Amino acid sequence: MSNMQETIKLSGFNNLTKILSFNFYDFCIAMNEQQKQDYINYIHTKYSAKNIGLIARKVCEIIEANILSETVQDYEPVGASTMTLMSDIKGGGNWEVGPQGQAAVKMHLDKSHITTHTYPDASDPEGICTFRLDLDVATCGEIIPLRALNYMFEVFECDVVYIDYVVRGYTRLENGKKIYNDHYFNSIQDFIKPEVLELYRYRQDLNLANDNIWQTKLMIKPMGPENYLLDPNDRNHPDIDHKMALLKDEMKEVFHLN
């Protein structure tokens, strides 16, 4: 884990903007058209707007942000999205929400938020189905979104993952000196448990610490076909080796973006 330094003494409000983008891909093999539809239905249920809204709530709890308002929306034929507005000041997950979706606590509405959107795709003629979820956490103040990363790996099935983190703006120390970041680390991987990282075959970083920009991307270690099939009996299908080769090529293409 990151060796976070002791709290820096600032002058006034911490107005640094911190943006975490967590984008993951889940892959599946559909052996026929019915299984393609079954996969879409499975995703539509598991990652419904209500369910990913609950995940956003948990993220708020972990990073100690108060929820101000929430909206959730399922789409036809596929997809879902949520938006959670939250406070900039650490307060520890006060989620009592009124009938109009407004937080019962009286707090200033600011720009800190969590947004999610899902992108299921079962259009590949070879039956390699893909599901992508984008989760973005934007805060302004002392909250550090990176602390929620291990929870995201826990609740999502992440075969390929892109994580981007950016800090913008400046705040001042008590002596008036400007600082452009209030927490220091080498890599986003510093915030991910070693046992989680061990699950991934490829781990690449693009770190521009002087510009307060970090990126980590991961690709899962090879696993058996039973991890990607809707029907476990299909592991003995005569085309399974061909399908697994296509699946691995698809993962590599998404990981390398070519």
Side-chain angles (χ1 to χ4, degrees):
M1 299 297 290
S2 173
N3 52 347
M4 303 288 290
Q5 67 176 47
E6 294 182 3
T7 302
I8 298 173
K9 293 184 178 180
L10 303 177
S11 173
F13 177 65
N14 183 341
N15 58 21
L16 291 169
T17 294
K18 302 160 188 174
I19 303 172
L20 170 67
S21 181
F22 185 89
N23 315 101
F24 79 86
Y25 296 82
D26 172 57
F27 294 85
C28 177
I29 298 174
M31 303 304 291
N32 51 54
E33 291 301 317
Q34 181 58 53
Q35 286 193 1
K36 286 184 180 182
Q37 188 57 52
D38 291 343
Y39 178 73
I40 291 297
N41 293 339
Y42 163 76
I43 290 296
H44 207 46
T45 300
K46 181 172 182 177
Y47 296 110
S48 66
K50 177 181 177 181
N51 288 341
I52 57 177
L54 293 175
I55 291 171
R57 282 190 171 203
K58 182 64 177 181
V59 170
C60 287
E61 178 184 357
I62 293 169
I63 63 178
E64 301 179 78
N66 282 307
I67 293 175
L68 303 177
S69 68
E70 303 166 292
T71 59
V72 298
Q73 181 65 58
D74 287 303
Y75 298 100
E76 291 295 340
V78 295
S81 66
T82 72
M83 182 169 70
T84 304
L85 295 176
M86 58 191 183
S87 64
D88 287 336
I89 304 298
K90 281 187 179 181
N94 187 337
W95 300 333
E96 186 179 351
V97 178
Q100 302 303 317
Q102 301 300 317
V105 292
K106 302 297 182 182
M107 302 182 72
H108 175 65
L109 186 68
D110 49 44
K111 69 178 183 180
S112 295
H113 63 270
I114 299 174
T115 59
T116 64
H117 200 90
T118 67
Y119 303 89
D121 177 21
S123 59
D124 179 61
E126 293 282 359
I128 308 303
C129 301
T130 308
F131 169 68
R132 180 178 119 231
L133 186 143
D134 297 345
L135 190 155
D136 298 306
V137 185
T139 70
C140 183
E142 59 186 339
I143 294 170
I144 299 175
L146 289 164
R147 290 187 171 129
L149 278 180
N150 287 306
Y151 171 69
M152 295 177 192
F153 281 98
E154 178 184 329
V155 295
F156 295 130
E157 298 176 26
C158 306
D159 292 323
V160 175
V161 189
Y162 275 79
I163 308 169
D164 299 279
Y165 187 64
V166 177
V167 179
R168 288 290 173 260
Y170 67 83
T171 189
R172 292 184 183 272
L173 300 176
E174 286 188 333
N175 63 9
K177 180 183 178 181
K178 294 194 295 292
I179 62 168
Y180 296 88
N181 198 356
D182 62 349
H183 60 296
Y184 301 94
F185 57 94
N186 295 318
S187 165
I188 291 172
Q189 295 186 47
D190 295 342
F191 290 84
I192 303 173
K193 293 178 180 178
E195 54 266 37
V196 173
L197 291 174
E198 279 300 309
L199 299 174
Y200 291 89
R201 178 182 184 182
Y202 297 127
R203 308 198 295 262
Q204 292 185 6
D205 276 354
L206 174 63
N207 299 320
L208 304 174
N210 290 336
D211 296 315
N212 285 336
I213 299 172
W214 295 265
Q215 182 188 84
T216 289
K217 60 179 183 177
L218 310 167
M219 192 178 92
I220 202 78
K221 289 180 178 178
M223 295 189 292
E226 63 276 4
N227 294 284
Y228 302 103
L229 293 169
L230 291 171
D231 183 351
N233 293 323
D234 285 332
R235 64 179 177 271
N236 298 316
H237 194 284
D239 291 337
I240 193 61
D241 289 341
H242 172 64
K243 297 291 186 182
M244 284 297 294
L246 292 174
L247 176 77
K248 292 175 182 177
D249 287 344
E250 185 77 7
M251 283 189 183
K252 290 179 181 178
E253 180 181 322
V254 170
F255 180 81
H256 295 293
L257 299 178
N258 57 50

